[in-house]
C-alpha cells in the first residue's frame, strides 16, 4: 500500500507544483528549456503512474464499506460522462462555456464512480486521492489564473464529433479494462 500512497501523492504533487508554484516552474523552464522541462515533467508523471500501478497490484485490499449493485448503472453513466469531459477538454466544445475545468471534472467523476463500485482500502487511496487532487487542482488553478474567460461556442458538428470520439474511447477502455484492472466492465452490466 505504501507504493500506491507514494504514487498518488507524487502524481498530485507534481501536477500541483505547476499551479501552486508558478515561479518554481518558470525557473525550471528557464534552466532546462521548455523541452527539457516538459521531458522531466513527463518522466516524473510516468514514474508516479508506475508507482500507482505497481502499488495497486502489490497492495492487499482490505474491505472498508459495502457497495450496492444498484449503484453500478449510475456509476457506469458517470464514467461515460467522465470520459466525454476528458475528450472535450482538448477539443472545441460548448462544454468550455459551462465548465472551466472539464478534464479535471472528468477525472473527479471517474474517481467518484470508482468509489461507488469499489469499497476497499486501495480503491479509497487511489480514487479518493485522485478526487481530492482534482478539487485542490481546480482551486489552485482558479487562484493562479483569476477571472475565467469563456471560450466561444464552436459549430454544432464539433460536439457530434466529440460524442463519436467518446464512444470509441469508452469502447477501447471497456475492451482493455480486464487487462488493465482485472475487472470486466461487461461483467458488471450482466449483473
Amino acid at each position: 500500500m505504501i507504493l500506491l500512497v507514494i504514487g498518488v501523492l507524487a502524481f498530485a504533487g507534481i501536477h500541483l507544483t505547476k499551479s501552486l508554484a508558478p515561479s518554481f516552474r518558470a525557473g525550471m523552464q528557464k534552466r532546462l528549456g521548455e523541452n527539457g522541462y516538459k521531458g522531466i515533467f513527463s518522466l516524473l508523471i510516468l514514474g508516479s503512474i508506475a508507482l500507482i500501478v505497481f502499488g495497486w497490484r502489490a497492495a492487499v485490499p482490505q474491505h472498508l464499506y459495502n457497495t450496492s449493485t444498484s449503484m453500478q448503472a449510475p456509476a457506469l453513466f458517470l464514467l461515460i460522462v467522465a470520459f466525454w469531459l476528458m475528450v472535450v477538454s482538448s477539443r472545441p466544445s460548448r462544454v468550455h462555456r459551462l465548465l472551466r475545468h472539464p478534464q479535471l471534472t472528468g477525472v473527479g467523476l471517474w474517481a467518484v464512480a470508482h468509489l461507488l463500485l469499489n469499497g476497499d482500502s486501495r480503491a479509497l487511496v487511489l480514487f479518493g486521492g485522485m478526487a481530492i487532487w482534482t478539487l485542490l487542482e481546480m482551486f489552485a488553478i482558479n487562484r493562479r489564473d483569476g477571472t475565467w474567460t469563456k471560450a466561444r461556442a464552436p459549430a454544432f458538428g464539433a460536439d457530434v464529433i466529440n460524442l463519436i470520439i467518446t464512444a470509441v474511447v469508452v469502447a477501447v477502455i471497456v475492451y482493455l479494462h480486464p487487462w488493465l484492472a482485472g475487472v470486466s466492465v461487461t461483467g458488471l452490466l450482466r449483473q
Side-chain angles (χ1 to χ4, degrees):
M1 191 69 78
I2 292 173
L3 278 181
L4 181 59
V5 171
I6 292 170
V8 170
L9 289 174
F11 183 89
I14 293 162
H15 278 92
L16 283 167
T17 300
K18 290 172 61 179
S19 51
L20 291 177
S23 57
F24 173 76
R25 179 185 180 198
M28 293 299 290
Q29 286 174 320
K30 188 175 180 181
R31 271 183 256 144
L32 301 169
E34 184 68 25
N35 289 337
Y37 170 79
K38 286 180 179 178
I40 288 178
F41 180 82
S42 298
L43 286 174
L44 290 172
I45 291 298
L46 287 173
S48 69
I49 291 171
L51 286 171
I52 290 169
V53 169
F54 290 123
W56 177 269
R57 291 179 185 234
V60 177
Q62 310 243 336
H63 178 78
L64 298 176
Y65 59 91
N66 292 326
T67 58
S68 169
T69 55
S70 67
M71 293 309 297
Q72 290 176 346
L76 292 173
F77 176 75
L78 279 180
L79 287 167
I80 292 169
V81 173
F83 285 114
W84 171 67
L85 289 172
M86 288 185 235
V87 166
V88 302
S89 69
S90 60
R91 297 192 35 81
S93 172
R94 286 171 168 34
V95 171
H96 294 286
R97 298 194 52 76
L98 302 172
L99 291 174
R100 186 172 187 173
H101 307 288
Q103 184 171 27
L104 288 168
T105 304
V107 173
L109 290 177
W110 169 84
V112 168
H114 279 85
L115 288 171
L116 292 173
L117 296 169
N118 301 283
D120 61 63
S121 55
R122 68 181 183 176
L124 186 62
V125 168
L126 175 58
F127 304 118
M130 295 300 276
I132 291 168
W133 164 70
T134 61
L135 294 174
L136 292 173
E137 189 73 44
M138 284 188 249
F139 175 78
I141 291 170
N142 290 347
R143 196 176 116 221
R144 180 194 69 197
D145 294 349
T147 306
W148 174 30
T149 305
K150 294 184 179 186
R152 291 184 339 144
F156 181 72
D159 286 313
V160 172
I161 292 170
N162 291 336
L163 288 173
I164 293 168
I165 293 170
T166 301
V168 171
V169 168
V170 168
V172 169
I173 297 287
V174 166
Y175 178 76
L176 293 177
H177 203 268
W179 179 78
L180 293 171
V183 177
S184 169
V185 177
T186 54
L188 288 176
L189 295 172
R190 289 187 203 120
Q191 291 182 355

